[in-house]
Amino acid sequence: MALLQKLGYTPDIAKAESYIPYLFTWDEQGDRLVSDLHEKIGFKQGNHSLGEYLKGSLTDIFQKQIWDDFFASIDFSPLWLDRKKLQYGAELCRRAGLSALIVLRDYCLMGGYESAAINKPLIYTGALKKGAVKRLTDTVNFWVHITQENGLHPSSEGFYQIFLTRAIYSFSRINILKHTSWDSSKWGVPINLWDMLATNLGFSMVFLVGLRRMGIQPSNQEIEGLFHFWKYVGHLLGIPLHLLPETEEQAIESLYLWTMTQREGDEDSKLLAAALKDEPVHAGYPTNKVMRLMMREIHLFYNHFLLGDYSCQLLGLPNTKIGRFGIINFWKTHQNEKRIVDHPSRLQAIRQGGDEQEKVRLIYQRYNNF
């Protein structure tokens, strides 16, 4: 409701219905790549091939030709791309520090489980059985690498993570349709373009809302950069440009229209939410179990603060009293915001926030080695 008030009007439901065909469209280019390469040499080897190709050290002529053909159709430097805006968007993601990761986990990721259809691929690929620890480890790894300085340079680990993710999407979709009883009439095609846009909006629009709720006040330049950043990432992931918003207002409308085409959460939504709720208990860090139990309560506190009690009730997330210790982070966030008074202090906040996120990434990698 607050977002619609900010938008100033309620989008026409008929417009939402016009986007329903995107539930049945997908990244065909990515699927061709996976069919031509990953399914022939193995998924793990296909990802190794990608890394070697991006480093310019791939010697297999057959594999190199497939990658040449795939990347030939992707414009890495489109005319609309503004590197300065990319920089500001990535800097906002970093300067939010730990608060950014809290928002991603306890608002964007958990809140995304409220929709039934978009999460069905997680059920059908067995991701629920593999556990939320791995999903969160992969998400943090992806996030930190693409948002770091020069994280979207073609030779960067972030660039590799983007096309690894694209291959994972296609590999999952192909195997779900081949080997399961997936019902496209109910949920659309697995990991369809409409749902890929929703994921993109989760990292941009929903993330921005969460930052503000945590006490972070991005500048207009940072907001513009954030949407430009995720427009470029979405472009590299194969989302059509005309679907990707350039402004906050366009993003609010897109999020509203997507929501209007979705089924409400179901029992699978609750199972995924429960798995994420208990993720701290099953993680390898902190090493003390009592501290891991405390981390679960703190994340529950953030769930209720960011999502609200109604959404938490729908997802089956209990209330917590112990987790209110998480309020300490709000105080730290507000203090950090007050210190940003000029360009040097902003740069310092970016460095400190980026360092915090990298430490978390390394902890996940060290204690949750998959």
Side-chain angles (χ1 to χ4, degrees):
M1 184 63 70
L3 287 179
L4 287 181
Q5 290 176 350
K6 184 178 182 65
L7 187 61
Y9 65 92
T10 300
D12 187 353
I13 187 64
K15 189 173 183 180
E17 293 173 352
S18 72
Y19 286 106
I20 289 177
Y22 286 106
L23 291 167
F24 304 93
T25 55
W26 63 94
D27 177 17
E28 297 183 30
Q29 183 184 3
D31 285 20
R32 282 195 298 272
L33 167 70
V34 168
S35 295
D36 291 342
L37 184 65
H38 295 72
E39 290 201 320
K40 288 183 169 61
I41 67 174
F43 188 70
K44 185 176 181 180
Q45 186 59 36
N47 294 335
H48 176 73
S49 175
L50 168 62
E52 293 298 297
Y53 180 86
L54 292 176
K55 288 185 291 188
S57 56
L58 183 62
T59 57
D60 187 292
I61 297 176
F62 167 74
Q63 294 178 25
K64 186 176 182 301
Q65 186 59 56
I66 292 175
W67 288 115
D68 283 342
D69 293 342
F70 175 73
F71 284 114
S73 61
I74 302 172
D75 190 351
F76 293 156
S77 299
L79 293 177
W80 52 265
L81 183 63
D82 186 324
R83 297 285 176 182
K84 195 66 177 178
K85 289 182 180 179
L86 280 186
Q87 177 184 333
Y88 269 95
E91 287 175 348
L92 171 62
C93 293
R94 295 202 303 277
R95 83 167 179 85
L98 290 178
S99 289
L101 300 183
I102 290 169
V103 168
L104 286 173
R105 183 197 189 281
D106 298 327
Y107 188 45
C108 305
L109 185 57
M110 185 66 85
Y113 293 152
E114 287 190 69
S115 169
I118 193 174
N119 298 301
K120 288 300 177 188
L122 292 173
I123 302 297
Y124 276 76
T125 57
L128 181 61
K129 293 180 180 178
K130 295 174 185 176
V133 176
K134 178 170 174 27
R135 290 204 305 280
L136 207 56
T137 300
D138 291 344
T139 301
V140 170
N141 194 50
F142 171 82
W143 166 271
V144 172
H145 277 123
I146 69 170
T147 60
Q148 67 184 8
E149 188 172 1
N150 297 318
L152 294 183
H153 189 277
S155 64
S156 69
E157 175 66 19
F159 217 69
Y160 169 78
Q161 287 292 324
I162 286 173
F163 290 102
L164 170 63
T165 298
R166 190 164 175 178
I168 290 171
Y169 284 171
S170 286
F171 190 81
S172 299
R173 176 170 44 250
I174 290 170
N175 280 279
I176 288 172
L177 292 175
K178 274 186 179 180
H179 304 299
T180 76
S181 58
W182 179 271
D183 190 343
S184 293
S185 65
K186 286 184 179 179
W187 308 311
V189 174
I191 319 177
N192 56 71
L193 293 179
W194 196 223
D195 288 345
M196 286 178 66
L197 172 64
T199 300
N200 187 279
L201 291 171
F203 281 114
S204 57
M205 184 66 247
V206 179
F207 176 70
L208 178 60
V209 173
L211 288 188
R212 287 169 171 159
R213 291 184 180 178
M214 295 292 289
I216 294 170
Q217 296 300 322
S219 67
N220 291 334
Q221 200 168 24
E222 288 175 325
I223 293 171
E224 185 178 20
L226 180 69
F227 287 107
H228 195 76
F229 181 91
W230 286 103
K231 177 182 178 181
Y232 185 55
V233 173
H235 163 65
L236 295 179
L237 285 171
I239 303 174
L241 276 179
H242 67 274
L243 291 179
L244 294 164
E246 296 183 354
T247 66
E248 183 175 358
E249 289 72 25
Q250 290 176 2
I252 292 172
E253 179 172 355
S254 294
L255 185 60
Y256 180 84
L257 293 173
W258 178 83
T259 302
M260 291 300 98
T261 65
Q262 297 301 299
R263 295 171 178 263
E264 291 184 353
D266 55 15
E267 288 305 309
D268 286 337
S269 298
K270 291 182 179 180
L271 289 174
L272 289 165
L276 183 55
K277 170 180 71 71
D278 291 330
E279 174 270 334
V281 181
H282 301 298
Y285 186 88
T287 55
N288 183 290
K289 184 177 181 180
V290 174
M291 292 302 297
R292 295 201 301 274
L293 290 170
M294 174 62 79
M295 289 297 297
R296 179 180 64 183
E297 297 304 306
I298 289 174
H299 283 301
L300 273 172
F301 167 76
Y302 288 129
N303 290 145
H304 281 269
F305 177 83
L306 292 165
L307 289 169
D309 291 340
Y310 178 74
S311 290
C312 288
Q313 184 178 4
L314 289 178
L315 292 170
L317 299 175
N319 280 301
T320 177
K321 293 183 178 179
I322 301 174
R324 290 176 184 175
F325 283 108
I327 203 169
I328 294 173
N329 189 67
F330 295 140
W331 177 83
K332 290 181 179 178
T333 300
H334 283 280
Q335 292 301 310
N336 289 339
E337 284 292 291
K338 289 180 181 178
R339 294 190 188 103
I340 302 176
V341 295
D342 53 20
H343 183 63
S345 57
R346 178 178 174 273
L347 291 179
Q348 183 179 8
I350 293 167
R351 285 193 296 271
Q352 290 177 342
D355 288 345
E356 287 178 351
Q357 293 179 4
E358 174 63 7
K359 287 178 183 177
V360 172
R361 187 189 74 81
L362 291 175
I363 287 171
Y364 270 102
Q365 293 297 313
R366 176 182 177 185
Y367 290 93
N368 305 301
N369 188 18
F370 294 98

